Amino acid sequence: MKIEGNTVLITGGASGLGLALAKALFKLNNTVIIAGRDEKKLRQMKDTLPGVHCIQCDICQDSERKKLINEMRSQFPELNIIINNAGVAFFSDLMDENSYQNVVKEMETNFLAPLRLTQLFSEHLKKRPYSAIVNIGSAAAFLPLAVMPGYSASKAALHSFSLSLSHQLRHTKIQVIEVLLPPIDTHMVMDFKMKKLSPDKAASDIINGLKRGRLFMSVGQVNLLFWAFRFFHEKIAVVVNRMAENALNR
């Protein structure tokens, strides 16, 4: 995959992994555009990387998604890569009625928004000489965490969507790339008292995978878990959930 000279849109790129990816891609002479909801974080991002462009947008709102695509078409017509990175996660008890709204938010942000953005940008991307859609997934798609049920379900949906999308776009110039990640050291999983991968290391691993043209990549310890999952699904799931519960209760 060509990783230099692209025009890249990253959702949720003002902090965490998105910020790390923006830095790495900007250093590789790409035009980088960040879309995020938090105006303060976007300003801080702009101060950190003046060459990166920032657009305030709530990707869960269809009116704002359509505004985003119009702005991208007019200001960045060379757009050829979208990284669906924005995500939310909640620790939820499914028997608690209040958890329903958390699950709705997780599904909207982690699955439905990438699906809708892909639909809105697909015709534009098909016209580019080379283009790619990168979906940032999670090991939770294969090993659901009972303490984060909505997040796990949303990432499983994103995985299924990525597979279907890859098949449907196989005769186009658009590459569909899925990345499975372990817990990343960000605010989203700060309550997990366990070893986490740094955003910079995760971004570096993703960039290296893109260089090698990998359409499906598992980063860090996910690589071992993914292959073990295929052979020892039930036992691995029990162990991982116990680890997650222990990490949360420390």
Side-chain angles (χ1 to χ4, degrees):
M1 174 178 172
K2 181 171 72 76
I3 61 167
E4 297 182 4
N6 299 293
T7 300
V8 186
L9 171 65
I10 306 175
T11 65
S15 61
L17 176 62
L19 175 59
L21 284 169
K23 290 178 179 178
L25 289 168
F26 182 69
K27 289 179 181 178
L28 290 169
N29 299 314
N30 294 287
T31 298
V32 179
I33 305 98
I34 297 300
R37 285 180 297 190
D38 194 318
E39 185 177 0
K40 181 179 179 181
K41 286 184 178 180
L42 291 174
R43 286 199 304 267
Q44 292 173 342
M45 172 72 174
K46 192 68 178 173
D47 292 339
T48 303
L49 289 174
V52 170
H53 307 273
C54 297
I55 299 176
Q56 186 175 15
C57 173
D58 182 353
I59 62 168
C60 292
Q61 302 298 319
D62 208 45
S63 60
E64 295 202 27
R65 290 190 290 248
K66 291 176 180 177
K67 181 180 176 182
L68 173 64
I69 189 172
N70 290 333
E71 194 165 350
M72 293 298 298
R73 283 172 174 168
S74 62
Q75 296 189 30
F76 306 98
E78 301 300 311
L79 173 72
N80 66 317
I81 297 178
I82 297 175
I83 301 180
N84 288 310
N85 166 74
V88 296
F90 300 100
F91 296 100
S92 301
D93 178 354
L94 290 175
M95 296 301 100
D96 182 352
E97 292 184 5
N98 295 324
S99 70
Y100 176 76
Q101 291 303 322
N102 288 343
V103 175
V104 169
K105 187 65 175 177
E106 289 164 321
M107 293 300 290
E108 286 180 342
T109 306
N110 303 343
F111 167 53
L112 294 176
L115 184 155
R116 186 61 177 141
L117 286 174
T118 296
Q119 292 175 332
L120 292 173
F121 279 104
S122 62
E123 289 306 312
H124 174 86
L125 294 178
K126 287 177 182 178
K127 296 175 183 177
R128 305 301 305 148
Y130 162 77
S131 58
I133 297 168
V134 182
N135 291 329
I136 302 299
S138 168
F142 294 91
L143 293 167
L145 301 176
V147 295
M148 302 170 73
Y151 174 80
S152 300
S154 68
K155 289 301 184 179
L158 183 67
H159 169 66
S160 180
F161 165 65
S162 298
L163 292 177
S164 299
L165 184 66
S166 179
H167 181 76
Q168 292 188 3
L169 295 179
R170 67 192 185 282
H171 297 309
T172 73
K173 297 177 182 178
I174 305 175
Q175 287 188 319
V176 179
I177 300 162
E178 183 182 11
V179 180
L180 295 185
L181 294 174
I184 307 297
D185 192 11
T186 64
H187 179 77
M188 189 166 69
V189 290
M190 62 182 297
D191 289 334
F192 268 135
K193 310 303 180 185
M194 62 187 299
K195 184 177 180 180
K196 290 168 263 190
L197 196 64
S198 74
D200 289 337
K201 180 62 168 66
S204 176
D205 287 350
I206 292 170
I207 296 296
N208 287 333
L210 295 177
K211 283 181 182 178
R212 296 196 296 271
R214 295 173 60 185
L215 299 182
F216 178 85
M217 65 183 86
S218 48
V219 174
Q221 62 265 43
V222 175
N223 194 40
L224 177 62
L225 281 174
F226 174 73
W227 291 109
F229 164 83
R230 301 187 67 174
F231 298 101
F232 306 105
H233 177 201
E234 293 185 4
K235 291 182 179 180
I236 292 290
V238 170
V239 171
V240 168
N241 273 292
R242 286 177 180 170
M243 289 173 59
E245 291 169 353
N246 291 336
L248 190 59
N249 293 326
R250 285 180 187 173

